[in-house]
Amino acid sequence: MIVTLTANPSMDRTVELVSALVRGGVQRASSASAQAAGKGVNVSRALVAAGVPTLAVLPGDAADPVVLGLLEAGLPHRALPVGQPLRSNITLAEPDGTTTKVNEPGPVLTAEHQRLLAATTVAASSGAAWAVLAGSLPPGVDAGFYAALTVQLRRELGDAAPRIAVDTSGEPLRALFAAGRASAPDLIKPNAEELAELTSLGSEAEFEADPRFAATAARSLVDSGTGAVLATLGARGAVLVTRDGAWLATHPPVAARSTVGAGDSSLAGYLLAHSRGASAPDCLRQAVAHGSAAVSLPGSTIPTVEQTAPASVTVVEL
């Protein structure tokens, strides 16, 4: 079982444009779609498609369109009522694969909402293989929420605690390392921008241009207490750094349709391979295969295993 927590879920609306976006102009769309989403929800979608047991934990009233969307999709979930509508995010996708996102802030979660969300995640995670804490935090939630929940999971569950993966950015990402090893997760999945923001050892452009440099920065986070860093580098693939080594994985170029959900798919690919006992390099291989497949699909579509091509991924040790 893999439990995911999406603290700030959304209804992701994607509009595919006929031509390049022109600021201030009138745009024509070739299609539009909507899907209940959020980083943790997207990871759970990919796991369900691969036959891996999962439970998505999220805030949301029973009649909220996001929760109804999960019911319609048959995605196992536990939604906690908050008495407010969940947010909608809008993605404008241009023909060349360029995407522009407008993300709403989400509902304000009270201290009691936060306590129940954390308690539900802990209860659901007992004996699970992984707990995935993913996405932005909604208004009213302290930046240290994921760090505190990481500590809570380990303290309350003890030997029954799962491995913990976190995919977030900004202050919530930095807070994971503020309390030292106690709050450092077993896995983090930054992109190049987030890796630069967290380590201050280089820039997004420098890390994407030089994966070895990115691996060096990721190594500093492993030295600070996290078990592994899966850093996605856009078209340059991804690097994985653990206490046992570092690897780079690349995929042949794909025709990009949308980058939305690519990082979530990469994390899901890693967890899927890990749940099947794969080695670290092969977990990275499936991560890049999932991420590349997601880029080739429209909107926030999450690929199935059958749509990925791990055999096309090249993995080298750094």
Side-chain angles (χ1 to χ4, degrees):
M1 167 70 76
I2 295 176
V3 176
T4 67
L5 168 64
T6 307
N8 202 11
S10 63
M11 180 62 71
D12 277 7
R13 305 182 186 279
T14 301
V15 178
E16 295 203 44
L17 302 177
V18 172
S19 58
L21 178 65
V22 178
R23 185 167 179 251
V26 175
Q27 307 291 148
R28 295 191 180 278
S30 59
S31 66
S33 61
Q35 184 178 61
K39 283 186 173 296
V41 168
N42 290 342
V43 169
S44 284
R45 280 186 183 278
L47 295 173
V48 165
V52 176
T54 185
L55 177 71
V57 178
L58 67 156
D61 297 349
D64 192 276
V66 173
V67 178
L68 293 176
L70 299 184
L71 280 171
E72 183 179 353
L75 185 72
H77 65 279
R78 194 165 297 165
L80 302 180
V82 292
Q84 304 166 72
L86 298 177
R87 62 180 180 157
S88 290
N89 293 337
I90 300 173
T91 297
L92 302 177
E94 300 177 51
D96 67 353
T98 300
T99 56
T100 301
K101 293 198 69 177
V102 181
N103 290 349
E104 294 182 5
V108 176
L109 298 189
T110 66
E112 180 63 9
H113 292 148
Q114 296 172 49
R115 186 191 69 77
L116 290 173
L117 202 59
T120 301
T121 302
V122 171
S125 298
S126 181
W130 284 91
V132 180
L133 316 180
S136 63
L137 295 174
V141 180
D142 185 82
F145 180 77
Y146 287 146
L149 182 51
T150 296
V151 173
Q152 184 179 354
L153 281 161
R154 291 168 175 164
R155 183 184 65 245
E156 296 188 14
L157 297 182
D159 292 341
R163 292 182 176 88
I164 300 168
V166 181
D167 183 7
T168 189
S169 59
E171 286 300 325
L173 180 59
R174 286 190 288 272
L176 293 169
F177 296 89
R181 295 180 182 272
S183 59
D186 297 280
L187 172 71
I188 61 171
K189 196 225 67 63
N191 57 28
E193 179 182 6
E194 292 157 353
L195 183 63
E197 183 180 78
L198 183 58
T199 65
S200 300
L201 294 177
S203 68
E204 175 184 5
E206 288 172 330
F207 288 153
E208 290 189 349
D210 185 354
R212 288 184 180 275
F213 187 25
T216 298
R219 169 62 65 184
S220 72
L221 300 175
V222 173
D223 292 342
S224 295
T226 193
V229 178
L230 172 64
T232 52
L233 305 176
R236 296 301 300 272
V239 297
L240 174 66
V241 178
T242 72
R243 295 183 180 94
D244 298 321
W247 300 267
L248 166 67
T250 56
H251 191 286
V254 299
R257 293 191 65 181
S258 173
T259 59
V260 179
D264 309 334
S265 295
S266 294
L267 178 54
Y270 179 98
L271 297 174
L272 169 61
H274 190 276
S275 71
R276 295 177 175 175
S279 64
D282 282 340
C283 288
L284 175 60
R285 183 187 306 277
Q286 190 61 53
V288 169
H290 257 79
S292 296
V295 169
S296 70
L297 297 172
S300 55
T301 304
I302 304 300
T304 64
V305 175
E306 292 73 23
Q307 291 173 307
T308 71
S312 299
V313 177
T314 300
V315 179
V316 297
E317 190 168 6
L318 297 176

